[in-house]
Amino acid sequence: MIKRYGIFLIGLTFMSLGIVLIIKSALGTSPISSVPYVLSLALPFTVGQFNFAVSSLMFILQPIILRNKFEWVQILPNASVKPLNLFMEI
């Protein structure tokens, strides 16, 4: 189980490194990272902080939008949001 968490954290590290390198190299951003990036240019917060805010908003809106089709197991991928944003800040 520890090996799985280690691999998971290594994957999150590479994901966040990729996001940061793409933004810093001015190659553009993915659609999911573009909103936090633009907000970070206009306001005094970082991309990681806005990424957390946008991800949290989507997390809250997901059950509201899906209503009866929503299953609580769909929330599990959102557990990686905080570590991903933490690695983006480092």
Side-chain angles (χ1 to χ4, degrees), residues 11-12 16-17 21 28 32 34 38 58-59 66 69 71 73 75-76 78 85-86:
L12 285 178
S16 62
L17 181 64
L21 287 176
I32 197 73
S34 63
V38 170
M58 287 190 282
F59 172 74
L66 292 177
K69 296 178 184 175
E71 296 177 14
V73 73
I75 289 181
L76 292 176
N78 294 316
N85 296 319
L86 176 68

Side-chain angles (χ1 to χ4, degrees), residues 26-39:
L27 292 174
T29 62
S30 66
I32 197 73
S33 299
S34 63
V35 174
Y37 176 62
V38 170
L39 288 173

Side-chain angles (χ1 to χ4, degrees), residues 2 9 16 20-21 26 30 36-37 42 44 48 54-55 64 69-70 77 86:
I2 293 174
L9 289 176
S16 62
V20 171
L21 287 176
S30 66
Y37 176 62
V54 169
S55 298
I64 296 169
K69 296 178 184 175
F70 179 75
L86 176 68

Side-chain angles (χ1 to χ4, degrees), residues 1 19 29 33-35 38 42 44-45 50-51 53 58 60 65 67-69 76-78 85 89-90:
M1 188 66 145
I19 292 168
T29 62
S33 299
S34 63
V35 174
V38 170
F45 297 102
F50 276 122
N51 197 12
M58 287 190 282
I60 292 168
I65 293 171
R67 297 184 190 214
N68 293 336
K69 296 178 184 175
L76 292 176
N78 294 316
N85 296 319
E89 296 294 325
I90 294 177

